[in-house]
Amino acid sequence: MKTTAPNTLLARGLIIVLMIVTLLPFLSMLSAALAPQGSYPNGLQWPTDPQWGNFVRAFEVARMDQLLLSSTLIVLGVVPVSVLIATMAGYGLAKLTSNKYKWLYLIFVFGLTLPFEAVITPLYYEVRALGLLNTRFAIILPLIGLYMPFSVYWMRAHFLNVPHDLTEAAQLDGATRWKEFWLVQVPLARPAIMSLTILLFLWTWNQFLLPVVLVQDPMQRTMAGALGAFQGQWGTDIPLLCAGSLLILAPTVALFLVFQRQFVAALMQGAVKG
Amino acid sequence: MAPAFVAYAAFVLVPLGMSIYYSLLRWDGIGKARFHGLTNYLTVLTDNDLLQIIGNAFQLVLYFTLIPVLLGLAVAAAIRSHMDGRFGTITRTVLFLPQVIPLVAAGIAWSWMFASTGLVNQTLKAIGLSDWARGWLGDFVWALPAVGIIGAWVLLGLCTMLLVTGITKIDPSLYEAARLDGARPWHEFRYITLPGLRQEIGVCITVTVIAALASFDIVYISTQGGPGITTTVPGLEIYRLAFAHRQVGLASALAIVLMVLVLITIAPVQWFTRDKK
């Protein structure tokens, strides 16, 4: 007879190997980040005299404080607006419209697989015409639009699952559509809104293509965009580059560790629905 | 609904229309544009370099998609139960790390892994394979597979977790029944696990194929498309054509071709793996 025990062991073994593979690049960066300035460290080797000061230097060189501020401003510009208008649109598409408007939904769905590269060139000219090139709005406004297909799709899927009785009950109580939306539907949609917020936050924070094309000054970019510039400038100084990279990826990792459960749930559902 | 549609129209639909319009022009982005008909598309579909660049993207699909899906299936088939408790939490946390960091950071981390003094070569030397050590990302043969490995690393955890979660939803009695009928492990896998995971596999393939075909960040950071054009992908080439070579028309044609390629690659996957109701 076969038992499941060896299987479980095998599975755990496999998973542990996967975890090690996942962690090695981070460890390798950490070990390099602690090597003496300007040296050529080895792949993975605990330095005899760890130079924690490299992180301080990288913080100053990369002007981390300004980067954090810039990324935060961009996220604040993108996420609340996107979530709000996507929630309204998702509700509208799920509850208010007849089949006549199905084409509208289909147009949104079409955008789901659209690579950003497909519109980046005209976006450049559009943003330039608006006079917004090299400002944070050059990242914020297009991103709101680019996130709409997924966000609307996501919120519509949520509202489709809300039983219709609820609307009727609210209407019997004399609530207007608008009131029903804010007082009944939105509170109920909190988990969906929460997940959407997390996903949009991550995607905005880590967005690279738009900052690279639309904003020259790294200080006006997102973290990821700034990291690109940092690599261009300090690519040959491995300890500094690794220290800077670790600093730049630290904020999202820290948030992820704190809200691990919510992040994992959002990322998994996001993949399934997206 | 209106604001969402306005935002979408202004920054997706209008640019997309402009992309199509530009793709019919010969334009340097500054001077006067001339109508060029479908010549740009003809160039995209016949120019050897551009065809190689499109081919590169499809080669990346092999790495971005196959490695995570196959490894994920192996883990899922072996574990076939919930990952509870501490071990489960740690596993989820670690495997999702690459999803949380910017792709740019993954690119930098792996550039360092693949560097001549990096961990990959260090390991090879340690196990007596010094002949294999090389500057991976600067190698004409190995640079593209190396980039593929970076993408596989990023997507591995997500696919594994999706498949592991998916397999717990398969009714265990199916496996018991199969075992009573004397089914071998391979048969169980082929006739229960694979069909049961059809949807999840579809999700993994969709996400990873799009990541490969539309890749930009990783390539931009790790190889800049080199050596030669061995790792150049359409996303990077669009950027270069439009902003460095000032061939806006050709860049736009390539952009439209890329969009269509993504759509026609994804459509059959969605078709085959959809929930049949």
Side-chain angles (χ1 to χ4, degrees), chain A residues 15 18 21-22 28 41 43-44 107 111 113-114 117-118 122 124-126 145 149 206 208-209 213 231 245 256 260 268 271, chain B residues 7-8 10 15 19 29 83 89 91 93-94 100 102 104 108 112 117 119 122 153 165 203 214 217 220-221 243 248 259 263:
Chain A
I15 286 179
L18 286 190
V21 171
T22 306
S28 178
L44 188 61
I107 290 180
T113 60
L114 183 83
E117 292 101 323
Y124 173 82
Y125 291 105
E126 195 180 349
N206 293 338
F208 183 64
L209 177 66
V213 172
Q231 190 228 23
S245 305
F256 167 61
Q260 187 262 131
M268 298 253 278
Chain B
Y8 180 51
S19 242
M83 283 198 293
T89 310
T91 307
T93 310
V94 171
V100 180
V104 185
I108 291 180
W112 166 229
T117 58
L119 183 56
Q122 195 188 14
W153 177 82
T165 311
V203 171
D217 307 17
Y220 181 96
I221 284 295
F243 301 107
V248 177
M259 180 188 80
L263 279 175

Side-chain angles (χ1 to χ4, degrees), chain B residues 84-153:
Chain B
D84 294 326
R86 242 218 169 102
F87 185 72
T89 310
I90 294 175
T91 307
R92 271 191 296 274
T93 310
V94 171
L95 291 187
F96 268 101
L97 268 182
Q99 289 291 313
V100 180
I101 65 170
L103 284 173
V104 185
I108 291 180
W110 277 93
S111 303
W112 166 229
M113 293 285 283
F114 282 129
S116 45
T117 58
L119 183 56
V120 173
N121 284 337
Q122 195 188 14
T123 311
L124 286 171
K125 281 174 189 152
I127 57 174
L129 291 172
S130 314
D131 293 350
W132 277 83
R134 64 195 74 213
W136 295 90
L137 292 168
D139 189 290
F140 273 87
V141 176
W142 291 101
L144 190 62
V147 170
I149 298 288
I150 304 178
W153 177 82

Side-chain angles (χ1 to χ4, degrees), chain B residues 154-166:
Chain B
V154 170
L155 296 161
L156 187 59
L158 178 69
C159 285
T160 306
M161 291 311 301
L162 282 172
L163 293 169
V164 167
T165 311

